[in-house]
Amino acid sequence: MDVNFFLKERTRFVRGFYDQGVAPFHDIQHRIETKAPPFDNPPYSEDGEPAFLTQWLDAETGADLLGQTCVSLLSDTLKLYFNTLQSEIGFAFEQGGKALMKRGFVAAYREALGEVFETDWSDCPVRFAVIEQVVLARNLSQHGGHLTSFHRSHDARTLRQHPQPFFASPEEARTWQDSGGQNSFLTPSVKITRDRLFEAIEEVEQLGDWLDARLVKVHEWRRRTREPEPVPEAEVFGLLAAGRAALDLCRPALDLFEARRPDVIHQGDDRGFVIDGRRLERSLGGPLAAQGLIGAQAFVANLVVVENCLVKLASLRGVPPHIKTKAEQAVKAIKAVVDRQVRNTAEHIDDRVVRRADQGLIASSIFEPDLLCSTRVDGTVGAVSISRQTLEVAVAAFESVVWPSSPRLPDVGR
């Protein structure tokens, strides 16, 4: 299928649809402004408003809604183009495709097509910021704002991504920027003018032309994917070396925590804050307690490094299937004992947290006897056992992946 041909057939229709659809609205406004029939005999009024103001504003709203409809058609055209291109080429998204899709389908397809066409897009003249805003404008237009108006304003998320919005009147955009971009009452409206719509269409068509001129890359990509790739030995052994080094660092971190454990928590009679049958002890101040907590955090951080190395190893192309399987199993084993979000905070818990039992204020502390705890992003408490048992699980998982030709790790857990 000539995908680029059908892309341009749809964009040609969108152009014509806009021009034919907007003409009656502009005609009404022109007749009002020139006092042409049927607006040549304004009714008597003492309110001071221009004659036929309601009709003029209705025509303006009609033109705006037509622009929103056309940008929605353009966004759907772009998505259909990408979907068809994917079907014709035969590529699939990598393991992180779902996470990437959350950022928008333009970013997802841009990354996937970049691999097929062997480009980082630096040589592509297309303004992807404009194409991304086509989709954002479509999303905003499809969801009503207020019953009192058909107008839609750019939301805070869109303005953070594109502080100079493409689909907005220059005056509103300038007023919002002059306010420092903080005044929500001045956020610019979504304004789809003919010039902006047609300019965005040209960017979409230019993308189609640019990819169409490089279709030979598709044949090369298919050949590469059919041929078995050599095992990336340097990268494999680099990942194993990094994982081994992180495990080696876990031992002194564990020793530091165990040496400072009595200084880290207050063994008093007050039950304090209890979660799942465990008492949250009060972290003591001072350099010795700080060292113990740093040791615990370093222990977890290095286990996360080990996990990351195994995840990367499992995703490498050219690695034998049985190695991938072992790496994936090892990741599951480490995940069972390591909550990677625990390492994200590094402040001491204080008395007001314990007394108020406010999970939202918990940073890091130690449950009895050896659990490093921290709130996750969702406010729940996560924990990792800072112990030799945890280290033994990680070592065993890592060693199960190491190739027979690789030297065994030192006996760090016994």
Side-chain angles (χ1 to χ4, degrees), residues 114-222:
E115 180 177 347
V116 173
F117 287 86
E118 289 189 300
T119 179
D120 61 0
W121 302 101
S122 60
D123 56 339
C124 178
V126 175
R127 293 179 293 169
F128 279 97
V130 173
I131 293 180
E132 289 172 358
Q133 289 185 74
V134 168
V135 180
L136 292 173
R138 177 264 177 197
N139 294 341
L140 289 171
S141 300
Q142 292 300 310
H143 302 285
H146 300 283
L147 180 63
T148 58
S149 174
F150 284 103
H151 293 286
R152 290 291 285 122
S153 296
H154 290 276
D155 57 17
R157 178 182 177 185
T158 301
L159 292 172
R160 282 196 301 270
Q161 294 176 342
H162 304 282
Q164 295 181 333
F166 184 75
F167 294 110
S169 71
E171 295 78 12
E172 288 188 2
R174 191 179 305 110
T175 299
W176 180 76
Q177 290 164 2
D178 290 345
S179 72
Q182 302 297 325
N183 193 332
S184 60
F185 294 102
L186 297 177
T187 53
S189 302
V190 178
K191 186 72 172 179
I192 316 293
T193 63
R194 183 184 190 276
D195 290 343
R196 287 301 197 183
L197 174 65
F198 282 30
E199 191 175 344
I201 290 175
E202 289 175 1
E203 293 297 329
V204 172
E205 290 179 338
Q206 185 174 212
L207 175 61
D209 289 340
W210 192 84
L211 291 175
D212 189 64
R214 289 158 178 77
L215 287 179
V216 66
K217 292 290 186 180
V218 174
H219 302 295
E220 296 175 2
W221 173 82
R222 287 172 177 164

Side-chain angles (χ1 to χ4, degrees), residues 254 257-258 299 370 384-392:
L254 178 60
F257 168 72
E258 290 181 337
F299 180 82
D370 54 21
V384 175
S385 175
I386 314 302
S387 63
R388 296 179 182 274
Q389 290 74 20
T390 299
L391 183 56
E392 287 172 356

Side-chain angles (χ1 to χ4, degrees), residues 364-378:
S364 297
S365 190
I366 304 297
F367 279 90
E368 297 177 336
D370 54 21
L371 297 182
L372 176 67
C373 299
S374 169
T375 48
R376 304 185 185 94
V377 175
D378 60 3

